[in-house]
Every structure is written in C-alpha cells, then in structure tokens.
Amino acid sequence: MVAATDKIPVGFLLSGGEAGDAPKGRELLEKLGHTKKVIDLLMDRAYEGDETRAPAISLGHNPVVPPKKNRLGPWEYDKELYKKRNEAERFFRRYKRFRRICTRYDELDIMFVAFFMLALIFDIIT
C-alpha cells in the first residue's frame, strides 16, 4: 500500500500470504512511475534493502528508512521525518475495523479488492 496521508490511498497491490511485502512494494513503485519532484518515501524496515532503495531513488523518491541494526554500511536518515510514518500505520488501523478485511475471509482476490474499495468509499463519506 502506498498512502499519501492517513486518509488518502495512492495505490495497492495484493500479495500471497506466504510472500514478502518488499517484491510487491517494488512492483507498486514501478507502476506509480517517476515523479517530477523529489517525494519523501517513508518505509518500514522490511523495505530497507538496496534492491528497494535503489529503484525508489531512480524514480525520484527520497527513501526514509532506518537501516537494519546488523547492516555493514548503514546510512543516515531523517529521524524526525521518519516519525511521520505513523500516518501510514493509522491508515491501516482504520481499515482493520472492517473485520472482513483484516481476517481476509474472501478466497477470491477480486472479492477482497471489491470489499476494500467499498471500505475506502465508506471511510470517505463518514
């Protein structure tokens, strides 16, 4: 999921339960394309690998993610800006109130996406 704020989704892709988030995250970044101005991209540590940071930089984003503690060549990042990542976490928390989304009852991806879109609409009008 890419969200502009805690209320504005930009895009999302589904992945299998056994798959990691980073490959789909890179795919979503590629689909969103290149930006005209540099945009700060606040990411979880799951996305801190070079294979995610390099494409993000090439697409015009400034990846703001702390390096893992065991990384040999750690980088500097804006710690104050990284604190705003809680906005994305608030976004997810709001949708967990829809039990059908957080438990993933639907077996078909199309049904899950349809209900998620319905939840987005419901959230906007309330």
Side-chain angles (χ1 to χ4, degrees), residues 3-38:
T5 67
D6 65 330
K7 296 183 180 181
I8 303 173
V10 176
F12 71 95
L13 287 175
L14 292 180
S15 64
E18 74 287 344
D21 292 342
K24 286 290 183 179
R26 289 189 293 273
E27 184 180 334
L28 182 57
L29 278 177
E30 292 291 331
K31 285 187 178 199
L32 293 174
H34 190 72
T35 61
K36 293 183 176 154
K37 66 175 190 166
V38 176

Side-chain angles (χ1 to χ4, degrees), residues 22 43-53 65-77 82:
M43 302 186 296
D44 191 326
R45 275 197 172 118
Y47 302 96
E48 70 90 43
D50 295 331
E51 59 275 355
T52 302
R53 289 180 64 246
V65 58
K68 289 186 178 177
K69 306 241 186 265
N70 61 352
R71 187 169 258 285
L72 295 177
W75 54 82
E76 294 295 320
Y77 69 99
Y82 186 71

